[in-house]
Each structure stands twice: as structure tokens, then as C-alpha cells.
Amino acid sequence: MADLFIGLMSGTSMDGIDAALVDFTTTCPNIISTHSHRYPAALHRQLEAALELEAPLNADLSAIDAAVGETFAAATSELLLQAGKVPENIIAIGSHGQTIRHEPAAQAPYSLQIGNPDIIAMRTGIDVIADFRRADIEAGGQGAPLVPAFHQAVFASNTEDRVILNIGGIANITILTTEATTPVSGFDTGPGNTLMDSWTRQHLQAAMDNNGDWAASGQVDHALLEDMLTDPYFLAAPPKSTGREHFNPDWLSRYTLRSGANANDIQATLCELTAQTIATAIQAHAGSADRLIVCGGGVHNNHLMGRLAANMPGLAIESTAAYGVTPDWVEAAAFAWLARQRLAGMPGNIPAVTGATRAVSLGQLVKP
Ligand SMILES: Nc1ncnc2c1ncn2[C@@H]1O[C@H](COP(=O)(O)OP(=O)(O)O)[C@@H](O)[C@H]1O
Ligand SMILES: [Mg+2]
């Protein structure tokens, strides 16, 4: 009997909605079909505008919430068609939604994901679990990162200590030790691709620095790098999580305006910032790890992967593909898994990761 769930995820990079159909019959989840669905250009522009910090969270947002819900539903329909499945084959959808604001340190902490789950449920005829971050925040946590429990379920080993690194817009690590008594830990290390993406958009009018070739053509500006490394986020102790509220184009221009470096040198510096902050976090919290296993879009940035290796000599580095999960689909599969946990009444957060006072089942169930 297949145990089929769909995971829908769109991260801070907003490069597209990742839709994955996952079978959980075996211990290693089997991703049977995937579909990457772009936002329509006009909606993408509206989302970028909604992400501006000054943008009011008003009625416009309800319309965008509905439009994102429609797009997530369309992504699901295309995934089903491609996989030759019907809604009755699917137990539930885990929909992360699109993050508009993540303010876990605010006086009234919150994390807001949009993409109306009622619309997704009605259009697809499938049960939807959404709003995964809220219960963890109510339990006193950051509401993020939420992928570590899935990383533990799939990638933990009893013979070696492993670190799982996800390089999305923001980068996060999960530390998995062989000691059953050591709780899984993990946190957001800071920017993954987001600063490199925005610098590339500004200077090359392209969505990304393909393979990191542009960064590779420049020289690191060490004074600029040291300046950026003084950001308090890098020095703060976990639990911690971050997003585009903090690491955004304004953050970038505050530093770059003080630097006279060429644009490609700045790109090289941003790549080094990502590599060094990840390496420093791993050295400080998982110094004896045997292996680093990487997922997320950043795995395709060859220059970044090279700089990670250079900053952590001696550490074996591989992609999650070597462990049966394609690196681009780990996060979507994680939300499919979190939906399954929710239906089983099982926890989805890890208190040692998010800072929550207890493990809780995450997400709200919406029926069509
Ligand atoms: N071929 C590539 N070369 C360089 N960077 C890439 C490549 N493919 C993907 N990326 C990076 O990965 C990002 C998307 O990663 P993803 O894991 O989807 O992040 P998010 O979860 O924030 O959406 C892109 O914005 C880009 O920066
Ligand atoms: Mg993405």
C-alpha cells in the first residue's frame, strides 16, 4: 500500500514552488514525481512588493494570499497529471506557503506564510495541512527551522556524526550525532543564496549567478568581509532563525556603499560570507562531525561548494543525492513528511532546535 503525500514549498528565494509527490512506505522516502512551478510574473512582483518591510499588511495581502493559494493548487494539479495520480491516491498535502514576514524575536512573535489552504483543498479535493510554524511559536519557539526532524528521520546514522546543510535563500544546519542521548540541534546560519541573488539581479539583470561563475571571477575584499561578519546575527547563540527581514538588499547596500570594490569582487565576498558563516557555525557546534551532506539550490553553485570545502578541510562533503534524496526536493519532501506527522499526531518540531518548551504536532488540517 502506497503511503502518498504531497509537499509544497516556496522558500525565500521565490524561484518557484517545489511540488513533490512522496511515498513513505519505506524508511527512505521515495520521491516519485516532482514539479517546479513558477509564480506568474505579476504575482511574483506583488510578492516582492509585499516583502518590503514598509509594506502594510493590509487587504491587498488577502488577494495575494488567494492568488498564491491558486498557484499552489495549480502546481499540485500539474504534479498529479504528470505522475498519473488522482486526488484519491493522496493522503494529504503539506503546504508550507510563502513566507511574507518571519519575526520570531518580536514582542508578539509571529511568522506569516500565505497561500490560502482552503483554496488548495477545494481546488484539488485533497486534505491540506498548512500553517506549520504557528504551533511551535505558540510553544515558545522560533517556528524555524522545521526541517531538522525530517533530516533526522532520513539522514541520521549510528556510525558517524553528520551535519545536514540546506542552502536556500537562507542557510540552515541540522547536527545529527550517533549518540541517541544527544538531542538533535540546528539553526539558521545566515544568508545562503539571498544576498548573492540580489547582487546578481542588480548588476547582471539575472536571477542567479549560474554555477557561481561571476563570484569565481572576482577577488574577496577582506575588509568588506570582516565588516559584514560583525553583524550581530552571526555572533548570536542559537536557537536563532532569520529571513529577508534581516538579510535583504538594504542590508547589502549598507555594507557595499562603504566599499570601493568592483561588482564581481563584491559577489566573491558575498559567496565567501555564506561559506565562512556556515563553516564557523559547523566548527563551533559540530566540530567533530564526520560528514557534511548538502541540499538546497546552493548545491549547484560550484564556486560556493568549493569555498565550503576550502573553509572546512578534512570534512567529507556530499550532496543528499548520495543518500537517495535529490537535493532540490528535500524541503518539499520535508513538508510532505510534516503533514504525515501531523495526521499521526506526532511532533514536527525539535525543541532543542527551535527553542520551544515542548515537542508539538505542527500545522492545521483543512478539508476540501
Ligand atoms: N545552477 C545554479 N547556480 C548557482 N546557484 C543556483 C543554481 N541553481 C540554484 N541556485 C541557487 O539556489 C536558489 C534556490 O534555492 P532553493 O533551495 O530553492 O531556495 P529557497 O528555499 O529559498 O527557495 C536560487 O535562488 C539560486 O541562488
Ligand atoms: Mg526555492
Side-chain angles (χ1 to χ4, degrees):
M1 242 306 256
D3 189 6
L4 297 182
F5 284 77
I6 288 174
L8 300 176
M9 171 74 201
S10 175
T12 47
S13 305
M14 294 212 296
D15 55 321
I17 299 154
D18 302 333
L21 174 60
V22 191
D23 186 353
F24 290 99
T25 317
T26 49
T27 323
C28 182
N30 183 15
I31 300 179
I32 32 185
S33 200
T34 60
H35 169 62
S36 180
H37 196 97
R38 301 234 156 232
Y39 281 119
L43 179 56
H44 194 274
R45 278 193 298 275
Q46 285 177 307
L47 283 167
E48 286 287 349
L51 279 165
E52 294 291 323
L53 285 181
E54 317 75 66
L57 297 175
N58 59 17
D60 284 355
L61 201 60
S62 305
I64 302 176
D65 177 43
V68 171
E70 295 287 0
T71 314
F72 274 51
T76 307
S77 303
E78 288 196 27
L79 177 71
L80 288 173
L81 194 66
Q82 180 190 306
K85 299 287 178 194
V86 291
E88 293 69 31
N89 298 142
I90 312 299
I91 299 171
I93 294 170
S95 176
H96 172 270
Q98 182 68 55
T99 298
I100 292 296
R101 290 281 195 289
H102 180 66
E103 298 283 4
Q107 194 143 36
Y110 69 99
S111 186
L112 176 62
Q113 284 74 42
I114 62 169
N116 189 330
D118 283 293
I119 292 180
I120 305 173
M122 305 264 196
R123 298 287 181 270
T124 61
I126 303 171
D127 289 359
V128 175
I129 323 286
D131 253 329
F132 285 94
R133 303 194 186 273
R134 207 173 274 205
D136 182 76
I137 289 180
E138 288 318 311
Q142 298 264 317
L146 296 183
V147 285
F150 176 73
H151 290 166
Q152 178 187 27
V154 178
F155 301 113
S157 151
N158 45 27
T159 56
E160 59 177 19
D161 292 347
R162 295 176 169 175
V163 176
I164 314 302
L165 166 65
N166 172 41
I167 315 175
I170 298 295
N172 60 271
I173 56 171
T174 303
I175 300 166
L176 303 170
T177 69
T178 53
E179 305 285 334
T181 47
T182 313
V184 173
S185 58
F187 53 91
D188 289 349
T189 57
N193 301 298
T194 189
L195 299 175
M196 291 188 277
D197 280 355
S198 58
W199 194 246
T200 307
R201 258 196 303 275
Q202 281 176 46
H203 290 269
L204 303 185
Q205 284 75 47
M208 68 174 79
D209 177 7
N210 202 19
N211 303 324
D213 290 344
W214 190 39
S217 76
Q219 297 293 321
V220 172
D221 177 337
H222 289 279
L224 174 61
L225 179 62
E226 292 308 317
D227 197 14
M228 288 174 166
L229 287 170
T230 62
D231 183 280
Y233 185 81
F234 301 127
L235 309 170
K240 59 178 179 176
S241 58
T242 190
R244 283 173 51 159
E245 299 71 24
H246 189 76
F247 294 106
N248 54 31
D250 288 343
W251 186 96
L252 190 53
S253 34
R254 273 209 304 284
Y255 291 94
T256 53
L257 289 175
R258 304 207 279 261
S259 157
N262 294 327
N264 64 336
D265 294 338
I266 288 181
Q267 184 72 355
T269 309
L270 294 173
C271 190
E272 191 65 20
L273 177 73
T274 293
Q276 275 199 21
T277 50
I278 290 169
T280 305
I282 292 174
Q283 277 143 10
H285 297 273
S288 61
D290 300 299
R291 194 178 299 277
L292 178 64
I293 304 175
V294 191
C295 58
V299 82
H300 303 296
N301 183 325
N302 296 334
H303 186 61
L304 174 59
M305 295 306 290
R307 293 310 307 154
L308 274 175
N311 277 283
M312 292 178 283
L315 187 64
I317 304 183
E318 283 175 310
S319 137
T320 54
Y323 298 85
V325 192
T326 317
D328 298 295
W329 302 101
V330 173
E331 275 213 291
F335 283 90
W337 183 85
L338 284 166
R340 186 169 177 269
Q341 290 290 101
R342 168 69 178 77
L343 291 187
M346 301 282 283
N349 65 339
I350 295 181
V353 170
T354 64
T357 53
R358 62 197 173 91
V360 285
S361 197
L362 305 175
Q364 295 178 25
L365 170 63
V366 175
K367 293 207 162 269

